[in-house]
Amino acid sequence: MASVHESLYFNPMMTNGVVHANVFGIKDWVTPYKISVLALLYDMTASKITLPERRRLNKLILPLQQGPDLTLGQFLKTVEECCPQTAYAVKLRLHEMADGELKDMEYFFSTLPTPFTAFDSEAYKTSVVGLFMRHMLLAYNKLSFSQVYKLYKSLQHYYHSHYAKPADGTLGLPALVANDSDMDLTSTEDTVGDRIDRDELDSPLHESELRFVMRFLDKVLLFVLPKNDSTPSRGPLSQKQAEYFLARQAYLLKNDENKALKPAALQEELNNMLKFNPDFAEAHYLNYLNNMRVQDIFLSAHSLLHYFDRLILSGNEGKSNGDEGYGRSLRYAALNLASLHCRFGHYQQADLALQEAIRIAQESNDHVCLQHCLSWLYTLEQMKGSDSTVLTEDSVKMAAHFCLPYLASLGIQSLVQQGATQGKTAHKLMDALKDTDILHWKHSLSELIEISLAQTTSIWRMYGKSTMALQQAQLLLNMSSLEPVNFGVQQNNTEAFAVALCHLAELHAEQGLYSAVSEILQHLKEQFPPHSQHAKLWMLCNLKIQFERHMNEGKYHLAEPLVTAMSALNKTEGLYRKAQVLKALNRSTEAYKILQRLQVHCEKSKCTEVVIRVMLSTAELHWESSGFSTALPLLLQALALARQHHLQSLASETILHLAFTQLMLGVPEHALSVLHEAIEPVLAHGSVIDKGRALLLTARCQMAVAGFGPNGHGQADLHLAALAVDTLNESAAYFSKLSCKERLRDVHYLQALLHRSLGQTSQCNKSAMLFRLLDQELQSPAPPVSMRL
Amino acid sequence: MKMAALCSEFGDLVQIKKQLISVISLCKERGLLHSSKWASELAFALSPLPKDELPPSPPFTEDDAQDLDALTVAKSYFDLKEYDRAAYFLRGCCSRKAYFLYMYSRYLSGEKKKDDETVDSLGPLEKGQVRNEALRELRVELSKKHNAGELDGFTLYLYGVVLRKLDLLKESVEVFVEAIHALPLHWGAWLELSNLVTNIEMLKSLSLPDCWIKDFFMAHMYTELQMIKEALQKYQNLIDAGFSKSTYIISQIAVAYHNIRDIDQALALFNQLREQDPYRIDNMDTFSNLLYVKSMKPELSYLAHNLVEIDKYRVETCCVIGNYYSLRSQHEKAALYFQRALKLNPRCLGAWTLMGHEYMEMKNTSAAIQAYRHAIEVNKRDYRAWYGLGQTYEILKMPFYCLYYYRKAHQLRPNDSRMLVALGESYEKLSQQVEAKKCYWRAYSVGDVEKMALLKLAKLHEQLTESDDAAQCYMLYIQDIFSCGLEHAEVSTALRYLGQYYFKNKLYDEASLCAQRCCDYNDAREEGKALLRQISQVRDQTETPSADLFAPLSNNNTPVRRVSPLNLISFTP
């Protein structure tokens, strides 16, 4: 208790650090900057200005009045851009005050046109300008003696700090004093006419005005808040500056995290803000968001609760009836806590918090809050992995009833997602999406539009329509933001964009365009840095692409380490890939075991896509032990499943497998006819490797039908053989694109075979040589050409 | 100024007294009122020295002689709180004493102006912007001198204060440690350091001079860090060493007892303190808290009236009056007085928390939350405020939400059963029985203050139809209650349950015993009798002779202990 300053507490009049409640009552305070604005307004009413200049100045008034405080240099520069003459007049007036005495400032305030008398001027009490002036006059008149003196001091400081670095203005000032006096003499009659003109001029400009304001503020904030944190921590921000700062950062966090301040810098900024203004509750919320960004559960929970503790106060203060604002924030506090736990995967905690929110909302009959709770409830259920269709449907119905389009369409989107995995018919899903889209555009819910587009992309890809998926992804990426205030953000970094970009990368990888893929991934990496929330999406995508590539090129040893990384991100995917690697390495027993496990697991969790792929892999395992007939029922089952769920790419894949099995069972004619069914979709939508495989298989079937058995006896159908040569050439082109050497070797072998039987020796030799080269390069003994698809 | 050299081993009271006397005069000359007050109090507690043993006044240098007049006039201005004037007349002085007073007046002038500014600022923009303008200059000058090694103990202390005010905490800790090494007897520097030490690890890492005053510091630190046992031990050592008359130590021990809720001990000590030092106001707010907890209305009223007579414009007085009104259930007035206390010193932690409690009583939850939040802002480690926030949300029927706050409070006071019971109750409301059981059991293990944990645990087991566990808990509960000799409302419930339990398990002797005890309580009498009848019926059927059963038991105060059929050691909830 003995610290030095303690001795000051003996004075009972002292109020150390506490600002009395009445200070909060007044919103407006006279600051040096406000005086400059007043001077500007005064000069605008008092002097003749050409129409275009006046229009520009008029557009400036609102942002200047409502924006954060600027330094004199910025202020004058902004005004100068619009009207140099007025800027000069303002500068002069400030000079008079700052270099004069206290009475000059007092004189200035007394000469301001009083809004109550000046009926004709723009400063009449009901106009925007008049209101501002009234506020300022009131605030000025309320100041105590010492405060007036302090204001004058700070005005001097404000003015002189601008001229501390010598500017040309100081020298020019006295010379123009004479000019200034004429300006003062201009009567106000002229301005009336001007005003009418202004109104006419301004009316069509309303739309652009808002943008102008925002751009202006943006520019201002660039001055006020430098992005690099190398600058020493600045002093406190004004209320408006702080609000704008928070709004901007929050928006950026949501939409483009990379443009926001770095987590540490933002934290420092917020701490600074809170130190000077501990009552600024919103800063706590931003703190919460920022902590979520770095996945810090302790600090984010702390900030969230602190925010709501504060909010409860302000809610109570703001509303006279008290209960409404206060109880409301309680409900949402619990709801937010639930969402916090949900984000961190604490489902049980989230559940408890949610129940609490629901209970409180029910008690106070807040249907909107209840609706929000319901939508969280089904999300939670979904995250836990249980079926929540009924809940979601309820939620959609209720949301529609209470006119909450946002929640309703969010519910529908969630339903569509569930429906897609559970094999709902495509047209129903698309219909639902179309309906929600209408809703989105009607209410311009840009975020949901993005989600909807990303979802359509995913659905098209699931159905195996790569072109449609590509188109939707491009649509999303090329769409310009619909947000009214977008702080210059072009590319959002919401989950929707991540999903679309990942699809884009995979689609390009399928076509073997790896340089494009690496570009897309690079972009993803920049846009969603590894610590961010959606980074896992592209990480998995990247791994998958690499894995596929290595598998295609036959570099199994490179593919194997990727599996571990994949399992970390997605267990199912990791297991499946592991089985694939094991199969490729001829460790069939292990692979079979894994596949069995996987199938059981996926059937339980209804991952139809994986189930089908597992079945195909199992069938391939059967081939290796020549169990072609045992593979058949599996394949048929897979085909049925794929057709039932409209998974076209998987269906054609299955058909390829079927055809191969039939070929192996010695019925190439059947195989060929079955193949015809699949070849079209594969060529249209399939990946390069699939195309190559399909064509290779076709060629082999054609050869078999033509009579080129493995033993190559009997009379061959030359026409069919020529056809097979073409097919093989085509498939060779595809394989070489992917540098899929093993398959290329097979192709060359078959080509050599065909050419020989067609009697084309030189071509035969060429193919044989190519085969020989590849064989030497690969070194691994060629597996019997027949044994795989 | 080489006080460090004077440091002798602990125990030589005469030496200590000499050191104290010389440091008192040093502090006084420099206007360090609180440090000199502390040292004087301590010196007063030691037996007086004979005349020839009094320490010689510090050597008078040439510089001192030169500055004597300026220093005298400046000191008198300083004493009258005319800091700028004092600084003005001390400008060119070169003696160390004058330099310190010069810097110190500048610092205090800045602080005073800052406080004045806050009252009429130019609006919320300026709020918080108001700062001690002198700090920066002071820091520059002092750091120059510091680098040159020209600072003595007092100026180092001032440098540390300046650094702390500029939020340069790390540097200020270093400077305070340096100041302590230079002048160990300056209690102000120790206290400033104690405000900066946040945990025991940090405390251990500091290299402090080996001086008798260090024991005072350590004891103070242990109290701050809620390590009460260690603190009490330290204070006891100090008393044994000869400081038994020191009111400072007595008050500190009383506060420590208050912190571990040993109310009777604390009350006794405070009463002793009031006898020795009847016009003391420091720590009386803590005393009033104790009286409040014990609901000792007349004593509290007496204390309040007494303090008002001494000085009604003291934070402590306001807190005492607030407590007084609160005890009389006049919560509006109580809140008013806490507000007044806060006006006197807005960083008064206790008042914020107490005001929160008052608003809770008035059912004004939002104001209560505000008050508690303020308390937390002042001191993040205030467990009462966290607990209060938890209670507020509990009243608002948000059991999950309040868990966070209770957990915070529990973190700060891991061995306080009240937080654990509160946590357990919240978990119970959320039907998380496993967690609730853990909390209750832990609350019992750390020494349950309100004796409710076991009962609640038992009831929880009863709900979950874990009858063996429930019976065990009831039994422990009854033992606990009887061993304290307290009357508790729920004993009958426990006995009733135990009776039924024994009856079901065919332990008729025990059952009838419990049933008999039941008959001592009004609310369970009928059931007890019914049970007795049932037992006798069953006994008649089975013909178990047990006529002499009741005789030895009737004079046993804790009957259940004898009949405990279950091995208590293996009990785990």
Side-chain angles (χ1 to χ4, degrees):
Chain A
M1 298 293 269
S3 61
V4 187
H5 60 274
E6 205 84 353
S7 57
L8 293 169
Y9 290 141
F10 292 116
N11 182 353
M13 295 304 290
M14 212 63 76
T15 50
N16 188 20
V18 156
V19 179
H20 290 295
N22 61 356
V23 173
F24 294 115
I26 307 162
K27 286 260 164 69
D28 272 315
W29 289 85
V30 191
T31 62
Y33 167 73
K34 294 270 169 68
I35 293 179
S36 326
V37 177
L38 280 178
L40 171 71
L41 293 174
Y42 186 64
D43 279 317
M44 276 174 68
T45 52
S47 61
K48 254 191 215 147
I49 305 169
T50 59
L51 267 186
E53 281 177 341
R54 176 166 282 278
R55 205 179 82 178
R56 275 183 300 209
L57 278 179
N58 281 333
K59 274 203 308 201
L60 204 58
I61 288 177
L62 209 60
L64 282 179
Q65 272 181 22
Q66 295 177 344
D69 283 12
L70 307 174
T71 67
L72 186 59
Q74 293 158 9
F75 173 71
L76 287 178
K77 202 172 153 231
T78 332
V79 179
E80 222 158 64
E81 277 170 18
C82 301
C83 176
Q85 177 200 356
T86 319
Y88 200 79
V90 171
K91 207 193 289 182
L92 211 64
R93 200 169 289 284
L94 289 176
H95 173 79
E96 268 175 22
M97 279 188 269
D99 275 5
E101 287 173 51
L102 185 59
K103 74 173 168 51
D104 293 310
M105 191 176 79
E106 281 171 348
Y107 176 73
F108 171 70
F109 273 97
S110 64
T111 52
L112 275 182
T114 40
F116 293 100
T117 53
F119 284 103
D120 294 334
S121 79
E122 286 101 329
Y124 185 60
K125 60 182 176 180
T126 49
S127 71
V128 177
V129 174
L131 207 63
F132 176 70
M133 284 189 162
R134 266 163 75 195
H135 273 302
M136 284 301 112
L137 278 175
L138 269 178
Y140 177 75
N141 289 333
K142 268 194 182 168
L143 294 181
S144 69
F145 178 81
S146 65
Q147 282 171 321
V148 171
Y149 183 67
K150 230 170 106 184
L151 178 65
Y152 182 65
K153 275 277 174 210
S154 58
L155 177 69
Q156 275 187 331
H157 179 76
Y158 181 69
Y159 182 79
H160 289 296
S161 64
H162 175 51
Y163 288 107
K165 303 151 254 166
D168 49 338
T170 33
L171 286 174
L173 263 180
L176 269 160
V177 174
N179 274 0
D180 176 58
S181 53
D182 327 0
M183 288 176 193
D184 272 358
L185 292 175
T186 36
S187 57
T188 46
E189 274 100 324
D190 297 6
T191 53
V192 182
D194 282 354
R195 192 179 61 186
I196 297 161
D197 285 345
R198 183 195 64 183
D199 286 343
E200 283 166 359
L201 284 168
D202 259 4
S203 44
L205 280 170
H206 185 73
E207 276 297 299
S208 62
E209 199 140 292
L210 188 67
R211 277 183 193 282
F212 174 77
V213 172
M214 294 329 292
R215 225 177 314 133
F216 168 77
L217 283 179
D218 227 35
K219 213 161 61 185
V220 166
L221 262 283
L222 284 183
F223 288 117
V224 183
L225 303 164
K227 273 194 182 157
N228 51 341
D229 45 350
S230 59
T231 47
S233 97
R234 300 165 318 277
L237 303 172
S238 75
Q239 185 82 9
K240 287 231 173 70
Q241 279 172 327
E243 271 169 20
Y244 185 71
F245 173 73
L246 292 179
R248 183 191 157 86
Q249 292 295 329
Y251 179 84
L252 288 177
L253 278 190
K254 190 174 135 231
N255 286 311
D256 194 350
E257 224 185 276
N258 301 316
K259 286 217 179 90
L261 286 174
K262 293 268 166 299
L266 184 55
Q267 177 83 52
E268 203 175 309
E269 205 61 60
L270 289 172
N271 285 347
N272 196 28
M273 192 183 285
L274 284 172
K275 200 172 94 193
F276 287 114
N277 193 354
D279 299 320
F280 214 65
E282 285 77 10
H284 287 293
Y285 194 76
L286 191 60
N287 214 344
Y288 154 67
L289 292 180
N290 192 31
N291 286 319
M292 288 286 267
R293 185 151 73 132
V294 292
Q295 321 234 318
D296 186 336
I297 171 99
F298 292 107
L299 281 179
S300 47
H302 180 80
S303 303
L304 183 69
L305 294 180
H306 200 155
Y307 168 68
F308 276 107
D309 282 349
R310 291 280 174 198
L311 193 71
I312 285 164
L313 312 179
S314 51
N316 205 21
E317 237 170 17
K319 301 224 174 176
S320 49
N321 54 351
D323 191 46
E324 181 54 39
Y326 171 42
R328 209 176 114 85
S329 62
L330 279 184
R331 302 192 272 283
Y332 284 98
L335 188 59
N336 269 290
L337 196 61
S339 82
L340 170 88
H341 283 299
C342 210
R343 272 282 290 274
F344 282 101
H346 307 155
Y347 297 132
Q348 199 204 1
Q349 311 278 318
D351 203 28
L352 290 171
L354 197 57
Q355 276 169 17
E356 197 157 289
I358 291 173
R359 192 174 42 69
I360 306 171
Q362 266 172 346
E363 276 169 13
S364 47
N365 271 333
D366 184 346
H367 294 292
V368 178
C369 182
L370 266 178
Q371 199 43 53
H372 277 102
C373 292
L374 186 55
S375 75
W376 266 106
L377 194 63
Y378 74 71
T379 316
L380 193 62
E381 290 294 314
Q382 226 169 318
M383 280 172 133
K384 276 198 225 162
S386 46
D387 183 34
S388 60
T389 323
V390 183
L391 270 178
T392 319
E393 276 167 4
D394 278 354
S395 165
V396 172
K397 272 180 214 151
M398 299 294 282
H401 181 250
F402 289 112
C403 294
L404 299 167
Y406 186 88
L407 288 179
S409 69
L410 208 58
I412 294 175
Q413 282 176 346
S414 160
L415 272 178
V416 167
Q417 197 182 339
Q418 289 170 37
T421 49
Q422 286 165 8
K424 280 255 165 60
T425 50
H427 67 91
K428 269 190 188 166
L429 298 184
M430 287 299 175
D431 262 359
L433 277 180
K434 191 193 75 201
D435 289 346
T436 53
D437 270 345
I438 293 170
L439 211 61
H440 300 153
W441 288 103
K442 203 162 115 189
H443 298 273
S444 53
L445 302 164
S446 64
E447 219 172 328
L448 289 174
I449 293 171
E450 284 162 15
I451 297 177
S452 163
L453 279 172
Q455 208 170 30
T456 332
T457 314
S458 304
I459 290 177
W460 279 127
R461 261 215 82 202
M462 195 180 82
Y463 288 154
K465 310 279 188 197
S466 56
T467 324
M468 287 304 289
L470 201 63
Q471 184 230 348
Q472 293 289 322
Q474 294 287 4
L475 195 59
L476 173 59
L477 296 176
N478 288 317
M479 197 174 69
S480 51
S481 174
L482 293 167
E483 298 273 332
V485 184
N486 67 354
F487 296 107
V489 176
Q490 302 298 319
Q491 182 81 56
N492 290 324
N493 70 344
T494 51
E495 193 181 5
F497 277 86
V499 169
L501 281 167
C502 283
H503 279 309
L504 206 60
E506 281 181 30
L507 286 170
H508 278 87
E510 278 179 2
Q511 300 308 320
L513 305 165
Y514 288 111
S515 66
V517 170
S518 72
E519 257 174 56
I520 294 171
L521 281 174
Q522 189 56 38
H523 177 70
L524 272 166
K525 222 175 266 183
E526 281 163 17
Q527 203 69 31
F528 304 88
H531 64 80
S532 63
Q533 195 193 351
H534 307 302
K536 279 181 185 166
L537 286 172
W538 64 256
M539 285 175 177
L540 186 62
C541 164
N542 184 16
L543 286 171
K544 269 197 227 169
I545 290 170
Q546 281 186 40
F547 180 87
E548 288 287 344
R549 195 172 173 185
H550 292 316
M551 290 299 277
N552 286 343
E553 289 171 5
K555 297 172 180 164
Y556 307 127
H557 59 287
L558 288 177
E560 209 175 352
L562 297 177
V563 171
T564 338
M566 246 188 261
S567 330
L569 291 168
N570 184 343
K571 243 185 186 158
T572 325
E573 192 71 35
L575 263 181
Y576 172 66
R577 303 284 167 168
K578 192 172 180 187
Q580 277 196 313
V581 173
L582 288 174
K583 184 162 67 71
L585 295 170
N586 287 327
R587 286 153 70 177
S588 314
T589 339
E590 289 165 64
Y592 187 72
K593 264 184 206 157
I594 290 177
L595 285 174
Q596 286 302 308
R597 239 172 63 204
L598 205 56
Q599 188 167 0
V600 172
H601 170 75
C602 290
E603 272 168 5
K604 216 188 279 170
S605 58
K606 292 188 179 163
C607 298
T608 322
E609 274 183 285
V610 186
V611 170
I612 295 170
R613 277 196 268 152
V614 166
M615 283 175 169
L616 294 182
S617 294
T618 322
E620 283 169 19
L621 277 178
H622 283 307
W623 298 344
E624 276 179 23
S625 51
S626 300
F628 294 105
S629 46
T630 47
L632 263 183
L634 254 180
L635 288 174
L636 286 172
Q637 201 185 340
L639 187 62
L641 257 181
R643 290 234 164 108
Q644 187 195 334
H645 287 83
H646 315 276
L647 307 174
Q648 199 195 35
S649 67
L650 280 174
S652 19
E653 177 95 9
T654 318
I655 290 173
L656 287 188
H657 279 72
L658 261 179
F660 180 75
T661 319
Q662 282 173 331
L663 176 69
M664 287 296 117
L665 286 171
V667 276
E669 294 85 0
H670 285 284
L672 210 52
S673 68
V674 167
L675 256 182
H676 274 301
E677 204 179 319
I679 201 90
E680 255 179 58
V682 167
L683 287 180
H685 296 289
S687 60
V688 177
I689 183 88
D690 282 340
K691 287 180 198 169
R693 279 157 68 199
L695 287 171
L696 176 58
L697 186 63
T698 320
R700 280 168 68 183
C701 287
Q702 282 165 340
M703 282 169 73
V705 171
F708 290 96
N711 307 321
H713 55 75
Q715 191 53 46
D717 183 341
L718 288 180
H719 174 66
L720 256 180
L723 216 61
V725 167
D726 287 345
T727 328
L728 277 177
N729 282 338
E730 214 172 318
S731 79
Y734 286 129
F735 285 136
S736 57
K737 211 181 204 171
L738 293 173
S739 70
C740 184
K741 284 175 188 150
E742 277 181 46
R743 288 206 163 83
L744 217 49
R745 184 173 58 180
D746 293 351
V747 171
H748 290 315
Y749 170 72
L750 290 175
Q751 271 175 334
L753 220 59
L754 269 175
H755 285 305
R756 202 186 53 179
S757 39
L758 289 170
Q760 299 158 330
T761 329
S762 66
Q763 273 147 322
C764 165
N765 285 344
K766 193 182 151 207
S767 297
M769 187 193 69
L770 283 172
F771 170 78
R772 176 95 185 102
L773 280 175
L774 276 175
D775 198 40
Q776 269 175 341
E777 192 186 332
L778 282 170
Q779 285 182 335
S780 64
V785 91
S786 50
M787 287 322 284
R788 66 176 204 177
L789 183 66
Chain B
M1 301 298 155
K2 293 280 170 267
M3 272 300 157
L6 282 174
C7 273
S8 63
E9 73 281 7
F10 192 79
D12 189 352
L13 289 179
V14 178
Q15 277 303 321
I16 289 174
K17 174 111 186 180
K18 277 186 190 172
Q19 290 172 14
L20 279 173
I21 288 172
S22 48
V23 87
I24 288 165
S25 69
L26 287 179
C27 286
K28 258 199 196 129
E29 282 169 351
R30 286 167 178 77
L32 294 165
L33 304 173
H34 285 271
S35 290
S36 79
K37 175 182 154 197
W38 183 83
S40 319
E41 275 180 359
L42 205 59
F44 181 73
L46 298 174
S47 45
L49 294 177
K51 185 174 174 286
D52 52 334
E53 291 238 6
L54 282 176
S57 52
F60 202 72
T61 61
E62 191 62 34
D63 284 346
D64 289 336
Q66 210 174 344
D67 297 342
L68 184 63
D69 298 329
L71 193 63
T72 318
V73 72
K75 182 68 184 20
S76 47
Y77 290 144
F78 180 90
D79 288 342
L80 291 167
K81 295 199 165 67
E82 295 181 274
Y83 300 119
D84 284 333
R85 213 167 161 197
Y88 177 77
F89 285 102
L90 283 168
R91 271 164 309 148
C93 295
C94 44
S95 73
R96 296 195 145 183
K97 209 191 293 177
Y99 181 69
F100 175 80
L101 200 60
Y102 170 60
M103 296 306 259
Y104 190 42
S105 342
R106 282 173 65 188
Y107 167 73
L108 280 185
S109 135
E111 285 293 296
K112 187 168 182 288
K113 275 184 194 146
K114 186 184 91 178
D115 286 342
D116 291 345
E117 289 289 287
T118 336
V119 183
D120 55 7
S121 67
L122 280 176
L125 211 170
E126 288 229 315
K127 184 189 166 197
Q129 250 191 90
V130 185
R131 59 176 97 195
N132 188 342
E133 295 297 338
L135 287 179
R136 241 165 253 283
E137 293 168 26
L138 286 176
R139 186 196 164 201
V140 173
E141 286 176 38
L142 285 168
S143 76
K144 250 184 232 157
K145 288 234 175 194
H146 183 232
N147 289 338
E150 290 173 8
L151 295 183
D152 64 355
F154 288 113
T155 26
L156 275 172
Y157 160 71
L158 184 60
Y159 183 39
V161 171
V162 169
L163 288 176
R164 187 174 70 82
K165 285 273 168 178
L166 289 169
D167 279 331
L168 300 163
L169 301 182
K170 228 176 104 199
E171 290 88 339
S172 70
V173 169
E174 285 164 18
V175 172
F176 280 127
V177 171
E178 211 177 314
I180 289 165
H181 276 282
L183 184 74
L185 291 177
H186 181 206
W187 181 241
W190 291 96
L191 262 191
E192 285 290 339
L193 185 63
S194 82
N195 287 334
L196 294 170
V197 175
T198 49
N199 52 36
I200 185 72
E201 281 77 25
M202 187 175 169
L203 180 65
K204 277 178 186 158
S205 68
L206 293 174
S207 81
L208 298 170
D210 208 16
C211 176
W212 56 267
I213 205 167
K214 187 183 168 189
D215 289 282
F216 282 87
F217 172 71
M218 290 309 269
H220 178 83
M221 244 11 268
Y222 286 142
T223 322
E224 288 282 297
L225 296 173
Q226 305 281 351
M227 299 163 66
I228 305 297
K229 215 185 260 172
E230 289 85 349
L232 285 175
Q233 185 59 44
K234 278 270 175 203
Y235 282 126
Q236 195 54 49
N237 290 346
L238 287 170
I239 286 180
D240 294 342
F243 290 105
S244 55
K245 276 197 242 157
S246 163
T247 48
Y248 167 77
I249 293 183
I250 296 174
S251 66
Q252 286 288 314
I253 295 178
V255 169
Y257 276 126
H258 165 258
N259 282 355
I260 51 168
R261 306 197 60 79
D262 192 339
I263 297 171
D264 297 326
Q265 288 266 24
L267 275 179
L269 281 167
F270 271 118
N271 282 323
Q272 186 192 340
L273 198 61
R274 296 256 311 146
E275 264 169 39
Q276 283 185 14
D277 188 1
Y279 290 94
R280 182 188 177 98
I281 292 186
D282 295 344
N283 304 110
M284 283 305 126
D285 49 339
T286 319
F287 185 35
S288 75
N289 285 350
L290 293 168
L291 294 175
Y292 179 89
V293 170
K294 278 269 176 185
S295 308
M296 294 158 86
K297 256 189 212 173
E299 286 84 351
L300 188 54
S301 151
Y302 176 72
L303 179 70
H305 286 115
N306 200 343
L307 287 183
V308 167
E309 271 178 15
I310 301 168
D311 184 354
K312 60 178 175 177
Y313 291 120
R314 280 283 294 264
V315 179
E316 287 86 350
T317 313
C318 294
C319 285
V320 173
I321 299 173
N323 272 337
Y324 167 70
Y325 277 124
S326 180
L327 194 57
R328 292 173 51 110
S329 309
Q330 291 177 310
H331 299 295
E332 286 86 358
K333 278 194 177 174
L336 199 72
Y337 271 92
F338 289 129
Q339 274 170 358
R340 182 183 283 190
L342 288 170
K343 250 183 203 163
L344 292 173
N345 179 1
R347 298 191 61 78
C348 175
L349 174 70
W352 278 121
T353 320
L354 289 172
M355 199 157 80
H357 293 334
E358 292 315 311
Y359 281 126
M360 283 274 283
E361 294 284 343
M362 292 195 266
K363 302 274 180 288
N364 185 352
T365 38
S366 67
I369 291 172
Q370 180 177 22
Y372 287 133
R373 268 290 170 195
H374 271 293
I376 291 168
E377 231 154 64
V378 176
N379 183 0
K380 262 186 217 156
R381 302 165 43 76
D382 183 26
Y383 67 94
R384 276 163 301 186
W386 286 112
Y387 184 71
L389 273 176
Q391 276 185 319
T392 319
Y393 282 108
E394 203 179 329
I395 284 179
L396 290 168
K397 290 191 213 150
M398 297 172 76
F400 182 76
Y401 209 76
C402 71
L403 272 183
Y404 176 83
Y405 297 103
Y406 282 143
R407 258 191 235 127
K408 273 272 174 194
H410 173 59
Q411 262 173 18
L412 294 168
R413 298 263 297 186
N415 287 330
D416 196 321
S417 64
R418 287 167 300 166
M419 283 71 178
L420 282 162
V421 171
L423 266 177
E425 280 173 357
S426 308
Y427 276 124
E428 208 180 322
K429 276 181 204 147
L430 294 168
S431 17
Q432 304 255 299
Q433 277 91 357
V434 185
E435 273 80 9
K437 275 193 255 180
K438 278 183 204 159
C439 288
Y440 289 142
W441 182 247
R442 176 98 190 117
Y444 168 68
S445 322
V446 296
D448 190 5
V449 188
E450 280 147 350
K451 309 279 175 214
M452 287 304 283
L454 271 177
L455 189 71
K456 286 186 187 293
L457 186 60
K459 283 188 178 163
L460 198 57
H461 281 306
E462 201 181 323
Q463 274 172 23
L464 296 172
T465 61
E466 297 164 341
S467 52
D468 290 351
D469 292 334
Q472 268 174 336
C473 290
Y474 275 128
M475 200 138 46
L476 277 174
Y477 169 68
I478 291 172
Q479 282 177 14
D480 218 27
I481 295 295
F482 279 124
S483 64
C484 299
L486 290 172
E487 273 303 308
H488 223 265
E490 300 274 10
V491 176
S492 58
T493 323
L495 283 170
R496 208 181 325 175
Y497 183 83
L498 277 177
Q500 294 290 350
Y501 170 75
Y502 286 133
F503 183 73
K504 262 179 221 150
N505 287 331
K506 302 201 170 56
L507 294 160
Y508 300 116
D509 295 356
E510 287 86 348
S512 69
L513 182 69
C514 292
Q516 282 199 325
R517 302 284 312 190
C518 269
C519 297
D520 296 347
Y521 299 92
N522 282 333
D523 53 338
R525 185 163 294 143
E526 288 309 313
E527 282 186 56
K529 280 180 186 163
L531 188 60
L532 275 177
R533 243 174 278 132
Q534 274 181 311
I535 294 167
S536 62
Q537 268 178 11
V538 178
R539 275 206 177 124
D540 285 346
Q541 283 163 14
T542 49
E543 286 186 339
T544 320
S546 57
D548 57 340
L549 182 72
F550 306 123
L553 296 173
S554 48
N555 51 14
N556 194 339
N557 226 6
T558 55
V560 208
R561 191 175 289 164
R562 273 191 66 233
V563 292
S564 133
L566 300 152
N567 185 4
L568 293 176
I569 296 154
S570 68
F571 180 88
T572 42

